[in-house]
Amino acid sequence: MKKVLHNLVLLAMIPLAFLSTAPVMAAFDETFFAENNIIYYDPDGAFNPNVGCSSYGSVSVTGSESAEKLWNGLISLGFTPEQTAGILGNMQSESAGTLNPVVHEVGQLQAHQPGFDLFNGAVAYGIGLIQWSWGRRVNLMNAVKNVDPNLLVYFEDYEKYAGTNYGSLLSAEEFVNVAGIDILEKLYSIELQFLRNEIDNNSTYRATLSATTVEEATITFLEKVEVPAAYIKRNENPAAYENLKQVRLSQAQAFFERFSGYTGQPSASIDGFDVTIIGDSITNGSKSQILAKLPQADIHAQDSKQFAGTNASNPTGIEILDQLISAGKLRDIVVYALGTNNAGLTVGQVEDVVNKIGSSKTIIFVNNYALSESGKDYSSNNNALQSVKQSNANVLIADWAEAVASNPTRYITNSDGLGVHPTDEGKELFADVIFGALSNGTGATNTSTGCNGYGGWSGVGLSQEEAEEFISIYNSPVNYNTNVAYIGGRVNSSSCNGVRPLSNCTALSQYFVGKYTNLTPGGGNGNEVVDQLLERNPSLSWGTEPKPFAIFSQGGGSLTSAGHTGLILGVDVAANKVIIAESSCSGTYTSKLTMETLTSVMSHFGGNPSTMKFAYPEIKTDVLMAEGLL
């Protein structure tokens, strides 16, 4: 991997004053850089709190609690399970058992605070997961500063975020309570990437990468990377060092036994550390049952809570989201268990929640159920939730309605005349439904790398095979007259070089609207299709992200004045893959599929990325299923 001689501390040109202290190098000399403690940075390994699959270029800190996040992060950086366990065993001790990314070395803190300058490299003052000290601490602080200067406050305000003595140190979970899960994950990402860069670029540290057993990895990291005082003075006090080593070996082995064979996906949300739950009286009444399964879950539940809107005395679900997002405390998995008080939800209202939370988090909607004698009908709610799930890779359903339907009167009471509240058994079932959505793998956040390249399909919408069948149906001469009928005369073949209508890019979008949605059709050129649909369908939601079954329009750039339109048939966030269906006017049957990455979709068509607009219709899933496409 090519190395660029930029100082990682600044991610910029090294100042001339600094260069004057060492001979100017004509070419890269690894030994020179290592011996002079110069950490250089590889642009392919740039700090990136998000997820990816490039070698050492990003960190996947997914998981339901701190150790799980660190395990996944180290694995995503290329460490073997044995090496990861050895590093974690050392981190457990170095962080005084907290795994808090901003923990200070207590002895040094008490000797030098208040007012110690963390950028002072002349003092052996440890900080962070492996207690970086001396110049290595300064390098880490500069790396943090480069990513976001605002992150430095979490290191500097040690009383609030770290603690001042061994009896009051904040665990990672306690850090989350005051700083938020997003900050924990960002700091984990930075420190783990920084550690990987250190190991890659120092011949002594690199011995860690040769370790093949948990014991070898633990001891090598301890003696080559950490180098604690007990090791330096091992000849003076061998018993002290032996005790320290055995503790770390025991911790490393425990991590290995717990996580080895782990897929890198946060399977069961072990204790709810990564889970925010927002609910109404059903959640509120089942709170103790939920906490018995997810003791660390952050639950916001109140009787009569509304799905959306505003309410000063009982903040709605949307308002709770605003509060948590503003405070940086919305966790990676959001369980949205509302709707009981809002029969008749629309796709647009559900999409508002999805857009508010964003695509970087997993959203689990709990659907609704009422006894038939209650007179309540939640079919609109549940259909809207299902439709949004089909169009969003990060949306899942916890199927309360199906679970209850097996024996409604056993799980739902009608003693209050409402027919929606669970019995004692129902409360246990409600907790089971939520826990099951997490523990069976559906709770995995879409920030997990998967790192499966372009093989396989774990997204939503159509798979590549299904998408190919979709195009086959559209292109088949046998289906020509039927398919043209779905367009309804809204495409003028003369505007497409005189070729048959189905070859026009607008034809494919109009066909999709007519056959697979209940939308009022629009018209216009490629760059006008979405706007005309929105004009004729006021409740149709839209945005700037490619989602399954979205219809897109784009103009400008190298496109003709008519622009372009087409479909997004599938999105696999984990594999960074998008399936596009489009037509052109260059032949009789030219409809085709194209595979793009999420980041390249906007520029794929040659238009101006800022003009790209996606409409997110509710799909007739029964039609897709009848054709074997779902």
Side-chain angles (χ1 to χ4, degrees):
M1 188 177 289
K2 183 179 178 182
K3 304 298 179 183
V4 180
L5 307 188
H6 287 201
N7 191 325
L8 177 60
V9 173
L10 300 177
L11 300 183
M13 295 303 293
I14 301 172
L16 292 177
F18 176 76
L19 288 175
S20 66
T21 64
V24 176
M25 305 300 296
F28 170 59
D29 183 329
E30 180 178 340
T31 302
F32 169 82
F33 273 72
E35 290 178 349
N36 286 277
N37 197 31
I38 302 171
I39 307 298
Y40 48 93
Y41 122 94
D42 176 352
D44 294 324
F47 290 108
N48 178 5
N50 298 314
V51 176
C53 296
S54 58
S55 296
Y56 320 137
S58 53
V59 188
S60 172
V61 289
T62 56
S64 59
E65 41 101 8
S66 54
E68 187 180 11
K69 289 178 182 293
L70 291 170
W71 178 276
N72 284 338
L74 290 165
I75 291 292
S76 75
L77 286 168
F79 294 102
T80 69
E82 291 80 6
Q83 293 161 3
T84 296
I87 294 170
L88 267 177
N90 279 282
M91 283 182 174
Q92 181 79 2
S93 288
E94 289 295 318
S95 65
T98 68
L99 297 181
N100 184 335
V102 302
V103 67
H104 289 235
E105 183 180 355
V106 172
Q108 293 285 353
L109 181 149
Q110 294 174 345
H112 294 281
Q113 295 289 1
F116 178 73
D117 180 7
L118 295 176
F119 290 84
N120 178 359
V123 176
Y125 187 115
I127 202 165
L129 290 170
I130 70 166
Q131 294 293 278
W132 283 276
S133 59
W134 305 98
R136 292 173 69 190
R137 170 180 27 82
V138 176
N139 290 344
L140 174 64
M141 290 297 96
N142 275 300
V144 172
K145 182 179 179 181
N146 177 74
V147 174
D148 183 354
N150 294 320
L151 294 174
L152 292 175
V153 68
Y154 299 101
F155 294 89
E156 294 166 347
D157 192 347
Y158 54 89
E159 291 190 27
K160 181 175 182 179
Y161 299 109
T164 58
N165 57 65
Y166 287 115
S168 67
L169 295 182
L170 273 68
S171 67
E173 288 75 12
E174 291 169 327
F175 175 86
V176 167
N177 290 337
V178 293
I181 190 70
D182 291 346
I183 298 301
L184 177 78
E185 292 178 344
K186 184 173 286 190
L187 292 175
Y188 273 179
S189 297
I190 294 171
E191 292 190 20
L192 294 184
Q193 181 70 73
F194 182 81
L195 174 62
R196 178 73 211 208
N197 284 347
E198 280 194 314
I199 290 174
D200 281 346
N201 302 317
N202 184 297
S203 57
T204 300
Y205 300 166
R206 272 203 305 275
T208 303
L209 302 179
S210 301
T212 59
T213 67
V214 173
E215 181 177 7
E216 183 183 6
T218 305
I219 294 173
T220 300
F221 192 85
L222 171 64
E223 297 181 352
K224 303 293 186 182
V225 181
E226 291 285 3
V227 198
Y231 172 69
I232 296 172
K233 299 178 180 179
R234 63 192 181 282
N235 292 331
E236 300 173 27
N237 191 347
Y241 174 62
E242 185 62 25
N243 180 65
L244 178 148
K245 183 171 65 174
Q246 291 304 319
V247 168
R248 298 187 186 207
L249 281 170
S250 176
Q251 292 169 168
Q253 188 61 40
F255 283 124
F256 184 76
E257 291 174 0
R258 181 178 178 188
F259 293 121
S260 61
Y262 195 59
T263 63
Q265 299 281 350
S267 53
S269 183
I270 298 170
D271 60 3
F273 175 71
D274 250 11
V275 180
T276 296
I277 301 174
I278 301 173
D280 49 33
S281 56
I282 298 176
T283 303
N284 201 26
S286 308
K287 190 171 183 178
S288 62
Q289 288 82 359
I290 296 170
L291 288 174
K293 297 178 181 296
L294 302 166
Q296 296 297 323
D298 183 28
I299 300 177
H300 300 263
Q302 190 173 349
D303 292 1
S304 303
K305 189 171 293 298
Q306 302 288 306
F307 192 94
T310 59
N311 189 315
S313 61
N314 186 353
T316 66
I318 285 284
E319 290 178 307
I320 295 293
L321 287 175
D322 282 330
Q323 294 169 8
L324 294 174
I325 292 169
S326 177
K329 293 186 176 182
L330 187 66
R331 300 183 178 182
D332 276 351
I333 302 173
V334 181
V335 177
Y336 207 81
L338 293 170
T340 303
N341 302 302
N342 302 93
L345 288 176
T346 66
V347 168
Q349 289 175 303
V350 181
E351 284 282 9
D352 287 343
V353 173
V354 173
N355 294 333
K356 176 78 68 175
I357 295 171
S359 59
S360 66
K361 298 182 186 297
T362 291
I363 306 166
I364 300 177
F365 286 108
V366 181
N367 60 15
N368 306 130
Y369 184 87
L371 295 174
S372 58
E373 55 264 37
S374 71
K376 296 180 176 66
D377 181 4
Y378 290 122
S379 58
S380 175
N381 290 19
N382 295 344
N383 289 339
L385 295 175
Q386 188 65 33
S387 176
V388 170
K389 173 186 178 294
Q390 289 294 330
S391 302
N392 292 273
N394 63 320
V395 172
L396 304 159
I397 303 295
D399 205 339
W400 170 237
E402 181 179 13
V404 171
S406 63
N407 196 336
T409 56
R410 176 180 178 182
Y411 298 120
I412 301 291
T413 178
N414 198 35
S415 60
D416 55 5
L418 298 176
V420 296
H421 292 120
T423 61
D424 288 344
E425 283 187 273
K427 293 174 184 178
E428 290 289 347
L429 180 63
F430 186 76
D432 284 341
V433 166
I434 292 174
F435 186 78
L438 298 166
S439 63
N440 66 15
T442 60
T445 64
N446 72 337
T447 54
S448 300
T449 67
C451 292
N452 54 352
Y454 288 89
W457 183 259
S458 60
V460 295
L462 303 187
S463 67
Q464 184 171 353
E465 182 179 359
E466 291 165 341
E468 288 171 352
E469 178 63 19
F470 174 93
I471 287 296
S472 176
I473 293 170
Y474 182 78
N475 282 343
S476 172
V478 175
N479 300 325
Y480 178 77
N481 290 330
T482 302
N483 292 346
V484 168
Y486 284 114
I487 299 172
R490 293 186 298 279
V491 176
N492 182 358
S493 62
S494 64
S495 67
C496 198
N497 303 326
V499 301
R500 300 174 79 176
L502 293 184
S503 296
N504 194 312
C505 68
T506 60
L508 180 62
S509 294
Q510 299 292 0
Y511 160 82
F512 184 80
V513 168
K515 185 175 184 180
Y516 298 105
T517 80
N518 289 312
L519 295 176
T520 300
N525 291 323
N527 56 358
E528 300 169 323
V529 167
V530 169
D531 283 338
Q532 293 216 12
L533 284 173
L534 293 171
E535 181 179 335
R536 289 162 175 76
N537 301 271
S539 64
L540 177 62
S541 60
W542 68 278
T544 57
E545 296 180 17
K547 297 180 179 181
F549 306 122
I551 304 164
F552 69 80
S553 285
Q554 189 178 37
S558 61
L559 295 173
T560 68
S561 60
H564 190 45
T565 185
L567 311 170
I568 304 297
L569 293 182
V571 177
D572 188 342
V573 174
N576 192 27
K577 181 165 61 175
V578 178
I579 300 176
I580 303 164
E582 54 189 323
S583 290
S584 70
C585 292
S586 59
T588 303
Y589 289 108
T590 56
S591 301
K592 63 179 182 179
L593 295 178
T594 306
M595 207 74 70
E596 285 285 357
T597 65
L598 284 164
T599 53
S600 61
V601 167
M602 307 302 270
S603 58
H604 164 75
F605 311 101
N608 182 345
S610 67
T611 68
M612 181 70 86
K613 184 179 289 187
F614 297 91
Y616 308 129
E618 185 173 352
I619 304 302
K620 294 179 180 177
T621 55
D622 58 330
V623 179
L624 287 169
M625 293 175 69
E627 294 180 333
L629 298 178
L630 277 181

